[in-house]
Amino acid sequence: MKIAVAKETRAGEGRVAMVPELVGKLTALGYEVAVQAGAGEHALYSDQDYVDAGAVVSDDPLAGADLIVSVNPLESAVVRGLPQGTSVMSFLPTTFMPELVADLRDCGVTSYAMELVPRISRAQSMDALSSQALVSGYRCAIVAAGMLRRFFPLNMTAAGTVPPAEVVVLGAGVAGLQAIATSKRLGAVVKAYDVRAAAAEEIRSLGAQSIDLELETLEGSGGYAREMTEDRARRQMEMLAPYIAAADALITTAAVPGRTAPLLVTAAMVEQMKPGSVVVDLAAETGGNVEGSVPGEVVKIGHAQVWGGSNVPAQLPQPASKLYAQNIVNLVTLMTRSTDGVAAFDPDFEDEIVAGSCVTRGGQILHEPTRNLVEGGAA
Ligand code: NAD
Protein backbone atom coordinates (compact mmCIF):
# COMPACT_ATOMS: atom_id res chain seq x y z
CA MET A 1 0.00 0.00 0.00
CA LYS A 2 1.10 3.52 -0.68
CA ILE A 3 1.50 6.53 1.61
CA ALA A 4 1.96 9.89 -0.13
CA VAL A 5 3.53 12.93 1.47
CA ALA A 6 1.97 16.09 0.01
CA LYS A 7 3.86 19.34 -0.51
CA GLU A 8 2.33 22.11 1.60
CA THR A 9 0.58 24.89 -0.30
CA ARG A 10 -0.15 27.34 2.53
CA ALA A 11 1.93 30.52 2.21
CA GLY A 12 4.73 30.66 4.78
CA GLU A 13 4.41 26.97 5.66
CA GLY A 14 7.88 25.61 6.35
CA ARG A 15 6.93 22.23 7.75
CA VAL A 16 6.60 18.89 6.02
CA ALA A 17 4.58 15.92 7.27
CA MET A 18 7.35 13.33 6.90
CA VAL A 19 11.10 13.66 7.38
CA PRO A 20 13.66 11.46 5.65
CA GLU A 21 14.89 9.87 8.88
CA LEU A 22 11.40 8.47 9.60
CA VAL A 23 10.63 7.17 6.09
CA GLY A 24 12.29 3.89 7.13
CA LYS A 25 9.69 3.40 9.88
CA LEU A 26 6.93 3.39 7.25
CA THR A 27 8.80 1.19 4.74
CA ALA A 28 9.58 -1.22 7.60
CA LEU A 29 5.83 -1.54 8.14
CA GLY A 30 5.60 -2.55 4.47
CA TYR A 31 4.43 0.71 2.89
CA GLU A 32 5.65 2.31 -0.29
CA VAL A 33 6.37 5.98 0.51
CA ALA A 34 5.94 8.60 -2.23
CA VAL A 35 6.96 12.20 -1.62
CA GLN A 36 5.94 15.20 -3.70
CA ALA A 37 9.00 16.88 -5.24
CA GLY A 38 10.17 19.82 -3.14
CA ALA A 39 8.00 18.86 -0.15
CA GLY A 40 10.88 19.10 2.33
CA GLU A 41 12.59 22.14 0.82
CA HIS A 42 11.68 24.70 3.53
CA ALA A 43 12.55 22.28 6.32
CA LEU A 44 15.97 21.86 4.65
CA TYR A 45 15.39 18.34 3.32
CA SER A 46 16.24 17.75 -0.33
CA ASP A 47 14.45 15.34 -2.65
CA GLN A 48 17.64 13.27 -2.67
CA ASP A 49 17.45 12.93 1.16
CA TYR A 50 14.05 11.24 0.73
CA VAL A 51 15.29 9.02 -2.10
CA ASP A 52 18.29 7.96 0.03
CA ALA A 53 15.85 7.12 2.83
CA GLY A 54 13.90 4.77 0.55
CA ALA A 55 11.08 7.00 -0.72
CA VAL A 56 10.05 7.66 -4.30
CA VAL A 57 9.96 11.36 -5.22
CA SER A 58 7.67 12.54 -8.00
CA ASP A 59 5.54 15.50 -9.04
CA ASP A 60 2.33 13.57 -8.65
CA PRO A 61 2.68 11.13 -5.76
CA LEU A 62 -0.97 11.42 -4.74
CA ALA A 63 -2.16 9.30 -7.66
CA GLY A 64 -2.92 5.82 -6.39
CA ALA A 65 -2.13 6.66 -2.76
CA ASP A 66 -4.11 4.84 -0.05
CA LEU A 67 -3.18 7.45 2.54
CA ILE A 68 -2.04 11.04 2.01
CA VAL A 69 -0.31 12.82 4.88
CA SER A 70 0.23 16.55 5.18
CA VAL A 71 0.51 19.25 7.85
CA ASN A 72 -2.31 21.45 6.55
CA PRO A 73 -5.39 19.96 4.89
CA LEU A 74 -5.34 19.39 1.14
CA GLU A 75 -6.98 22.03 -1.06
CA SER A 76 -10.60 21.35 -2.07
CA ALA A 77 -9.57 21.03 -5.74
CA VAL A 78 -7.17 18.21 -4.81
CA VAL A 79 -9.75 16.50 -2.58
CA ARG A 80 -12.28 16.53 -5.43
CA GLY A 81 -9.80 14.60 -7.59
CA LEU A 82 -9.25 11.79 -5.07
CA PRO A 83 -10.77 8.36 -5.61
CA GLN A 84 -13.44 7.31 -3.13
CA GLY A 85 -11.99 5.50 -0.13
CA THR A 86 -8.68 7.44 -0.08
CA SER A 87 -7.59 8.39 3.45
CA VAL A 88 -6.08 11.74 4.38
CA MET A 89 -4.36 12.70 7.64
CA SER A 90 -3.44 16.27 8.61
CA PHE A 91 -4.45 19.11 10.87
CA LEU A 92 -8.05 19.85 9.90
CA PRO A 93 -9.58 22.82 11.76
CA THR A 94 -13.14 21.78 10.95
CA THR A 95 -14.74 24.78 12.65
CA PHE A 96 -13.04 27.11 10.21
CA MET A 97 -13.31 24.85 7.12
CA PRO A 98 -16.88 23.53 6.85
CA GLU A 99 -16.81 23.59 3.04
CA LEU A 100 -13.71 21.43 2.87
CA VAL A 101 -15.30 18.95 5.29
CA ALA A 102 -18.35 18.80 2.99
CA ASP A 103 -16.03 18.06 0.03
CA LEU A 104 -14.27 15.29 1.98
CA ARG A 105 -17.68 13.81 2.83
CA ASP A 106 -19.05 14.08 -0.71
CA CYS A 107 -15.92 12.56 -2.28
CA GLY A 108 -16.07 9.57 0.08
CA VAL A 109 -12.65 10.43 1.54
CA THR A 110 -11.78 9.15 5.02
CA SER A 111 -10.22 12.08 6.86
CA TYR A 112 -8.35 12.15 10.17
CA ALA A 113 -7.73 15.41 12.04
CA MET A 114 -4.57 15.54 14.13
CA GLU A 115 -6.15 18.04 16.53
CA LEU A 116 -8.90 15.50 17.32
CA VAL A 117 -6.54 12.75 18.51
CA PRO A 118 -7.86 12.20 22.05
CA ARG A 119 -5.54 13.50 24.75
CA ILE A 120 -5.26 10.21 26.62
CA SER A 121 -1.96 8.73 27.81
CA ARG A 122 -1.91 6.04 25.10
CA ALA A 123 -2.15 8.74 22.42
CA GLN A 124 0.54 11.06 23.81
CA SER A 125 3.05 10.01 21.13
CA MET A 126 0.47 10.92 18.45
CA ASP A 127 -0.46 14.30 19.95
CA ALA A 128 0.57 16.83 17.33
CA LEU A 129 -1.13 19.71 19.16
CA SER A 130 1.34 19.19 22.00
CA SER A 131 4.40 18.65 19.81
CA GLN A 132 3.73 21.81 17.81
CA ALA A 133 2.78 23.83 20.93
CA LEU A 134 6.14 22.92 22.41
CA VAL A 135 7.88 24.41 19.37
CA SER A 136 5.67 27.52 19.52
CA GLY A 137 6.27 28.09 23.21
CA TYR A 138 10.03 27.91 22.79
CA ARG A 139 9.90 30.24 19.79
CA CYS A 140 7.81 32.81 21.71
CA ALA A 141 10.40 33.05 24.47
CA ILE A 142 13.24 33.36 21.96
CA VAL A 143 11.38 36.08 20.05
CA ALA A 144 10.76 38.00 23.28
CA ALA A 145 14.42 37.68 24.29
CA GLY A 146 15.54 38.73 20.80
CA MET A 147 13.28 41.78 20.63
CA LEU A 148 13.99 43.02 24.13
CA ARG A 149 16.91 45.40 24.11
CA ARG A 150 18.23 44.24 27.44
CA PHE A 151 19.51 41.08 29.14
CA PHE A 152 17.17 38.31 30.25
CA PRO A 153 19.58 37.13 33.01
CA LEU A 154 21.00 38.89 36.01
CA ASN A 155 24.58 40.01 35.37
CA MET A 156 26.86 40.88 38.25
CA THR A 157 30.03 42.35 36.85
CA ALA A 158 32.92 44.52 37.98
CA ALA A 159 31.19 47.34 36.12
CA GLY A 160 28.02 46.90 38.11
CA THR A 161 24.93 44.78 38.39
CA VAL A 162 22.35 44.46 35.61
CA PRO A 163 19.04 43.17 36.96
CA PRO A 164 17.24 40.35 35.13
CA ALA A 165 14.29 40.98 32.84
CA GLU A 166 10.83 40.33 34.16
CA VAL A 167 8.70 38.12 31.93
CA VAL A 168 4.96 37.56 32.41
CA VAL A 169 3.39 34.55 30.68
CA LEU A 170 -0.40 34.27 30.37
CA GLY A 171 -1.74 30.78 29.65
CA ALA A 172 0.31 27.88 31.00
CA GLY A 173 -0.69 24.97 28.75
CA VAL A 174 1.93 23.15 26.69
CA ALA A 175 3.13 26.29 24.84
CA GLY A 176 3.02 28.55 27.90
CA LEU A 177 4.97 26.09 30.06
CA GLN A 178 7.63 25.82 27.34
CA ALA A 179 7.80 29.64 27.12
CA ILE A 180 8.22 29.75 30.92
CA ALA A 181 10.91 27.05 30.90
CA THR A 182 12.83 28.74 28.08
CA SER A 183 12.62 32.20 29.67
CA LYS A 184 13.85 30.69 32.96
CA ARG A 185 16.75 28.96 31.20
CA LEU A 186 17.70 32.36 29.76
CA GLY A 187 17.72 33.74 33.28
CA ALA A 188 14.61 35.93 33.37
CA VAL A 189 12.39 36.34 36.41
CA VAL A 190 9.13 34.73 35.29
CA LYS A 191 5.59 35.16 36.57
CA ALA A 192 2.71 33.28 35.00
CA TYR A 193 -1.06 32.99 35.18
CA ASP A 194 -3.58 30.43 33.96
CA VAL A 195 -7.30 30.11 34.67
CA ARG A 196 -6.87 26.40 35.52
CA ALA A 197 -5.89 25.85 39.15
CA ALA A 198 -3.84 22.77 38.18
CA ALA A 199 -1.49 24.97 36.16
CA ALA A 200 -0.21 26.78 39.28
CA GLU A 201 1.76 23.74 40.46
CA GLU A 202 3.27 23.23 36.99
CA ILE A 203 4.29 26.90 36.84
CA ARG A 204 5.99 26.64 40.25
CA SER A 205 7.72 23.37 39.31
CA LEU A 206 9.55 25.31 36.57
CA GLY A 207 10.84 27.81 39.12
CA ALA A 208 8.44 30.57 38.08
CA GLN A 209 6.02 32.48 40.28
CA SER A 210 2.38 31.54 39.83
CA ILE A 211 0.22 34.68 39.89
CA ASP A 212 -2.75 34.05 42.17
CA LEU A 213 -5.67 36.35 41.42
CA GLU A 214 -8.02 34.56 43.81
CA LEU A 215 -10.60 34.21 41.04
CA GLU A 216 -12.64 31.06 40.49
CA THR A 217 -10.83 28.38 38.48
CA LEU A 218 -12.13 27.66 34.96
CA GLU A 219 -11.29 23.98 34.57
CA GLY A 220 -13.37 22.46 31.74
CA SER A 221 -13.56 18.91 30.45
CA GLY A 222 -10.43 17.01 29.37
CA GLY A 223 -8.11 19.29 31.34
CA TYR A 224 -8.92 22.26 29.11
CA ALA A 225 -10.05 25.73 30.15
CA ARG A 226 -13.63 26.99 29.94
CA GLU A 227 -14.61 30.30 28.45
CA MET A 228 -14.74 33.29 30.79
CA THR A 229 -17.87 35.30 31.48
CA GLU A 230 -17.62 38.99 30.65
CA ASP A 231 -17.50 39.89 34.33
CA ARG A 232 -14.76 37.30 35.04
CA ALA A 233 -12.75 38.63 32.07
CA ARG A 234 -13.03 42.22 33.32
CA ARG A 235 -11.95 41.34 36.85
CA GLN A 236 -9.05 39.24 35.52
CA MET A 237 -7.88 42.18 33.39
CA GLU A 238 -8.05 44.62 36.32
CA MET A 239 -6.02 42.30 38.53
CA LEU A 240 -3.44 41.44 35.88
CA ALA A 241 -2.90 45.08 34.86
CA PRO A 242 -0.19 45.86 37.47
CA TYR A 243 1.76 42.68 36.62
CA ILE A 244 1.71 43.59 32.93
CA ALA A 245 2.71 47.21 33.59
CA ALA A 246 5.75 45.98 35.52
CA ALA A 247 6.83 43.39 32.92
CA ASP A 248 9.66 43.87 30.43
CA ALA A 249 8.20 41.11 28.25
CA LEU A 250 4.68 39.73 28.09
CA ILE A 251 4.04 36.40 26.37
CA THR A 252 0.43 35.31 25.85
CA THR A 253 -0.52 31.74 24.91
CA ALA A 254 -4.11 31.36 26.15
CA ALA A 255 -6.64 29.33 24.18
CA VAL A 256 -9.99 27.63 24.63
CA PRO A 257 -10.47 24.68 22.22
CA GLY A 258 -12.83 25.37 19.30
CA ARG A 259 -13.24 29.06 20.22
CA THR A 260 -11.53 32.26 19.24
CA ALA A 261 -8.74 33.10 21.67
CA PRO A 262 -9.83 34.93 24.83
CA LEU A 263 -8.95 38.62 24.98
CA LEU A 264 -6.79 38.96 28.10
CA VAL A 265 -4.98 42.24 27.59
CA THR A 266 -6.47 45.48 26.27
CA ALA A 267 -4.47 48.07 24.33
CA ALA A 268 -4.86 50.37 27.39
CA MET A 269 -3.08 47.73 29.52
CA VAL A 270 -0.22 47.51 26.99
CA GLU A 271 0.03 51.31 27.01
CA GLN A 272 0.96 51.11 30.70
CA MET A 273 4.10 49.08 29.87
CA LYS A 274 7.56 50.63 30.08
CA PRO A 275 9.52 52.04 27.11
CA GLY A 276 11.32 49.20 25.35
CA SER A 277 8.96 46.49 26.56
CA VAL A 278 7.83 43.71 24.24
CA VAL A 279 4.66 41.68 23.84
CA VAL A 280 4.51 38.31 22.08
CA ASP A 281 0.97 37.15 21.27
CA LEU A 282 0.98 33.50 20.20
CA ALA A 283 -2.80 33.62 19.81
CA ALA A 284 -2.78 36.53 17.30
CA GLU A 285 -3.97 34.27 14.48
CA THR A 286 -6.98 32.92 16.34
CA GLY A 287 -8.35 36.26 17.51
CA GLY A 288 -5.52 37.44 19.76
CA ASN A 289 -5.02 37.52 23.51
CA VAL A 290 -3.80 41.10 23.13
CA GLU A 291 -6.00 43.80 21.65
CA GLY A 292 -4.40 45.24 18.52
CA SER A 293 -1.90 42.44 17.84
CA VAL A 294 -1.61 41.53 14.14
CA PRO A 295 -0.57 38.05 13.00
CA GLY A 296 2.78 38.06 11.26
CA GLU A 297 3.51 41.70 12.14
CA VAL A 298 5.14 43.82 14.81
CA VAL A 299 3.00 46.82 15.78
CA LYS A 300 3.69 49.55 18.30
CA ILE A 301 1.15 50.03 21.07
CA GLY A 302 2.13 52.75 23.55
CA HIS A 303 5.83 52.12 24.27
CA ALA A 304 5.66 48.40 23.50
CA GLN A 305 6.55 46.43 20.38
CA VAL A 306 3.77 43.86 19.92
CA TRP A 307 4.66 40.72 17.91
CA GLY A 308 1.71 38.76 16.54
CA GLY A 309 2.35 35.07 15.94
CA SER A 310 1.57 33.58 12.55
CA ASN A 311 2.05 29.84 11.98
CA VAL A 312 4.68 29.93 14.70
CA PRO A 313 5.75 26.23 14.64
CA ALA A 314 6.73 26.69 10.97
CA GLN A 315 9.34 29.20 12.16
CA LEU A 316 11.40 26.25 13.43
CA PRO A 317 10.54 24.03 10.47
CA GLN A 318 12.97 21.19 10.99
CA PRO A 319 12.25 20.25 14.63
CA ALA A 320 8.53 20.97 14.14
CA SER A 321 8.46 18.65 11.10
CA LYS A 322 10.41 15.95 12.87
CA LEU A 323 8.06 15.92 15.86
CA TYR A 324 4.96 16.07 13.65
CA ALA A 325 6.28 13.26 11.43
CA GLN A 326 6.86 11.10 14.52
CA ASN A 327 3.25 11.77 15.58
CA ILE A 328 2.12 10.67 12.09
CA VAL A 329 4.28 7.51 12.16
CA ASN A 330 2.82 6.55 15.54
CA LEU A 331 -0.76 7.12 14.38
CA VAL A 332 -0.18 5.24 11.10
CA THR A 333 1.40 2.37 13.05
CA LEU A 334 -1.71 2.16 15.22
CA MET A 335 -3.84 2.01 12.07
CA THR A 336 -1.73 -0.66 10.33
CA ARG A 337 -2.26 -4.38 10.22
CA SER A 338 0.85 -6.14 8.96
CA THR A 339 0.84 -9.73 7.78
CA ASP A 340 4.04 -11.35 6.46
CA GLY A 341 5.58 -7.95 5.84
CA VAL A 342 2.60 -6.77 3.82
CA ALA A 343 1.11 -3.63 5.31
CA ALA A 344 -2.57 -2.96 5.25
CA PHE A 345 -3.82 0.44 6.27
CA ASP A 346 -6.77 -0.93 8.18
CA PRO A 347 -7.84 1.28 11.10
CA ASP A 348 -9.91 -0.31 13.83
CA PHE A 349 -12.88 1.99 14.35
CA GLU A 350 -13.56 0.39 17.72
CA ASP A 351 -10.35 2.06 18.92
CA GLU A 352 -11.13 5.41 20.57
CA ILE A 353 -8.06 7.07 19.03
CA VAL A 354 -9.12 6.06 15.51
CA ALA A 355 -12.79 6.86 16.05
CA GLY A 356 -12.03 10.11 17.88
CA SER A 357 -9.73 11.50 15.19
CA CYS A 358 -11.88 10.51 12.18
CA VAL A 359 -13.89 13.40 10.69
CA THR A 360 -15.41 11.88 7.52
CA ARG A 361 -15.83 8.31 6.31
CA GLY A 362 -18.03 6.54 3.78
CA GLY A 363 -19.81 9.73 2.73
CA GLN A 364 -20.65 10.73 6.31
CA ILE A 365 -19.33 13.19 8.87
CA LEU A 366 -18.56 11.09 11.93
CA HIS A 367 -17.34 13.89 14.23
CA GLU A 368 -20.57 15.08 15.80
CA PRO A 369 -19.79 18.78 16.48
CA THR A 370 -18.54 19.10 12.88
CA ARG A 371 -21.64 17.31 11.54
CA ASN A 372 -23.85 19.73 13.45
CA LEU A 373 -21.88 22.65 12.08
CA VAL A 374 -21.88 21.50 8.45
CA GLU A 375 -25.27 19.80 8.23
CA GLY A 376 -27.17 21.74 10.90
CA GLY A 377 -28.69 20.15 13.96
CA ALA A 378 -28.20 20.53 17.69
CA ALA A 379 -25.60 23.16 18.59
P1 NAD B 1 -4.69 25.23 25.01
O1 NAD B 1 -3.73 25.50 23.89
O2 NAD B 1 -6.09 24.90 24.67
O3 NAD B 1 -4.70 26.53 25.97
C1 NAD B 1 -3.53 27.09 26.48
C2 NAD B 1 -3.71 27.51 27.90
O4 NAD B 1 -4.52 28.68 27.97
C3 NAD B 1 -4.41 26.47 28.79
O5 NAD B 1 -3.55 26.11 29.83
C4 NAD B 1 -5.64 27.21 29.29
O6 NAD B 1 -6.00 26.84 30.61
C5 NAD B 1 -5.20 28.66 29.20
N1 NAD B 1 -6.28 29.63 29.20
C6 NAD B 1 -7.48 29.59 28.57
N2 NAD B 1 -8.19 30.70 28.83
C7 NAD B 1 -7.43 31.48 29.63
C8 NAD B 1 -7.61 32.76 30.23
N3 NAD B 1 -8.73 33.42 30.04
N4 NAD B 1 -6.62 33.25 31.00
C9 NAD B 1 -5.48 32.56 31.19
N5 NAD B 1 -5.23 31.36 30.66
C10 NAD B 1 -6.20 30.82 29.88
O7 NAD B 1 -4.14 24.13 25.99
P2 NAD B 1 -3.06 22.99 25.79
O8 NAD B 1 -1.72 23.57 25.93
O9 NAD B 1 -3.36 22.29 24.52
O10 NAD B 1 -3.32 22.03 27.02
C11 NAD B 1 -4.24 22.29 28.03
C12 NAD B 1 -4.40 21.11 28.96
O11 NAD B 1 -4.36 19.85 28.28
C13 NAD B 1 -3.37 21.03 30.03
O12 NAD B 1 -4.04 20.62 31.19
C14 NAD B 1 -2.46 19.94 29.59
O13 NAD B 1 -1.78 19.34 30.66
C15 NAD B 1 -3.43 18.99 28.96
N6 NAD B 1 -2.78 18.09 28.04
C16 NAD B 1 -2.97 16.74 28.17
C17 NAD B 1 -2.35 15.87 27.31
C18 NAD B 1 -2.52 14.39 27.43
O14 NAD B 1 -3.04 13.91 28.39
N7 NAD B 1 -2.10 13.63 26.44
C19 NAD B 1 -1.56 16.35 26.30
C20 NAD B 1 -1.40 17.74 26.17
C21 NAD B 1 -2.02 18.59 27.04
Side-chain angles (χ1 to χ4, degrees), residues 39-375:
E41 189 181 359
H42 297 296
L44 308 178
Y45 299 115
S46 69
D47 288 347
Q48 191 59 44
D49 292 335
Y50 286 99
V51 172
D52 293 345
V56 174
V57 175
S58 74
D59 287 328
D60 185 20
L62 310 195
D66 299 284
L67 169 67
I68 302 167
V69 297
S70 55
V71 178
N72 297 291
L74 300 176
E75 307 273 350
S76 273
V78 177
V79 167
R80 290 193 207 113
L82 295 177
Q84 216 173 335
T86 306
S87 295
V88 297
M89 191 180 277
S90 68
F91 280 119
L92 178 55
T94 58
T95 318
F96 305 107
M97 297 185 157
E99 281 150 24
L100 177 62
V101 173
D103 281 334
L104 290 162
R105 174 197 61 196
D106 297 343
C107 296
V109 171
T110 307
S111 55
Y112 300 94
M114 295 305 281
E115 53 274 79
L116 293 181
V117 169
R119 290 182 124 178
I120 55 174
S121 349
R122 189 164 61 88
Q124 267 181 6
S125 65
M126 307 160 205
D127 182 355
L129 278 183
S130 287
S131 70
Q132 303 306 290
L134 176 114
V135 177
S136 298
Y138 170 84
R139 175 78 181 139
C140 282
I142 296 299
V143 167
M147 283 173 64
L148 194 67
R149 294 187 190 172
R150 52 170 294 173
F151 287 115
F152 257 33
L154 166 76
N155 274 291
M156 295 173 80
T157 77
T161 297
V162 186
E166 191 168 311
V167 176
V168 167
V169 177
L170 300 183
V174 180
L177 289 172
Q178 186 56 217
I180 294 168
T182 306
S183 301
K184 282 295 296 177
R185 280 183 207 125
L186 289 173
V189 170
V190 184
K191 298 177 182 173
Y193 175 72
D194 195 291
V195 286
R196 292 178 299 108
E201 187 50 43
E202 293 177 311
I203 293 167
R204 284 194 290 268
S205 74
L206 293 171
Q209 182 193 324
S210 171
I211 298 173
D212 184 4
L213 301 182
E214 295 181 353
L215 290 169
E216 73 274 27
T217 170
L218 290 180
E219 218 108 38
S221 61
Y224 286 110
R226 278 185 286 125
E227 239 179 334
M228 297 184 287
T229 60
E230 248 177 63
D231 178 56
R232 168 73 162 74
R234 186 187 45 76
R235 283 189 295 145
Q236 180 174 310
M237 281 176 187
E238 279 169 15
M239 291 169 154
L240 280 175
Y243 291 94
I244 290 165
D248 298 296
L250 168 68
I251 300 173
T252 63
T253 70
V256 177
R259 311 260 174 202
T260 52
L263 180 71
L264 307 186
V265 181
T266 61
M269 289 161 82
V270 178
E271 280 164 12
Q272 297 305 309
M273 294 179 80
K274 293 172 277 192
S277 52
V278 303
V279 177
V280 170
D281 184 2
L282 177 61
E285 241 173 350
T286 51
N289 291 148
V290 178
E291 186 184 16
S293 71
V294 181
E297 287 183 28
V298 178
V299 294
K300 190 123 194 260
I301 300 179
H303 300 298
Q305 302 282 342
V306 181
W307 184 91
S310 172
N311 199 11
V312 179
Q315 296 175 13
L316 294 180
Q318 207 167 66
S321 301
K322 195 176 158 195
L323 292 168
Y324 182 82
Q326 187 65 65
N327 297 141
I328 291 277
V329 166
N330 293 335
L331 192 54
V332 169
T333 304
L334 175 81
M335 296 181 175
T336 301
R337 196 168 38 84
S338 221
T339 323
D340 299 331
V342 181
F345 185 71
D346 185 14
D348 172 7
F349 281 84
E350 298 294 310
D351 185 310
E352 67 175 306
I353 299 174
V354 175
S357 58
C358 185
V359 178
T360 59
R361 184 182 182 222
Q364 294 188 340
I365 300 173
L366 300 190
H367 182 241
E368 196 182 333
T370 305
R371 188 170 61 244
N372 291 337
L373 178 78
V374 177
E375 297 175 354

